[in-house]
């Protein structure tokens, strides 16, 4: 959290985080820890929507092909 935030803003952020954690507590979750500028951040990813795997793979393949084309052009 940013050091320039007020106590009220920090309280709202904590309350919002708690509510979201409660809302999505039964969904699959992945916890990742990142270090940025010497500070460690923990990211909780909640998987809340079913996705069509075929559509996702098709989009990723298309994007990879377009990026490859741009690199070789």
């Amino acid at each position: 959290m940013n050091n320039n935030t007020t106590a009220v803003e920090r309280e709202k952020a904590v309350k919002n985080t708690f509510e979201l954690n409660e809302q999505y507590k039964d969904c699959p979750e992945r916890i990742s820890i990142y270090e940025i500028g010497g500070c460690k951040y923990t990211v909780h990813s909640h998987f809340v929507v079913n996705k069509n795997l075929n559509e996702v793979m098709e989009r990723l393949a298309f994007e990879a092909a377009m990026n490859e084309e741009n690199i070789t052009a």
Side-chain angles (χ1 to χ4, degrees):
M1 204 175 289
N2 182 329
N3 287 337
N4 296 328
T5 58
T6 66
V8 172
E9 290 171 330
R10 286 192 298 270
E11 186 175 330
K12 284 181 184 178
V14 168
K15 181 180 179 191
N16 188 36
T17 299
F18 178 76
E19 290 171 354
L20 288 172
N21 284 339
E22 281 296 309
Q23 182 178 355
Y24 297 117
K25 68 181 177 186
D26 295 328
C27 297
E29 178 183 19
R30 179 183 66 208
I31 299 172
S32 303
I33 299 174
Y34 300 96
E35 186 171 336
I36 302 171
C39 294
K40 288 189 177 183
Y41 298 90
T42 303
V43 177
H44 293 255
S45 301
H46 294 268
F47 300 92
V48 297
V49 178
N50 290 329
K51 291 190 177 192
N52 183 328
L53 186 57
N54 289 333
E55 289 177 9
V56 171
M57 295 302 291
E58 182 179 331
R59 181 180 51 81
L60 291 173
F62 177 79
E63 290 173 3
M66 294 306 291
N67 286 336
E68 185 175 302
E69 183 178 302
N70 290 336
I71 291 172
T72 58

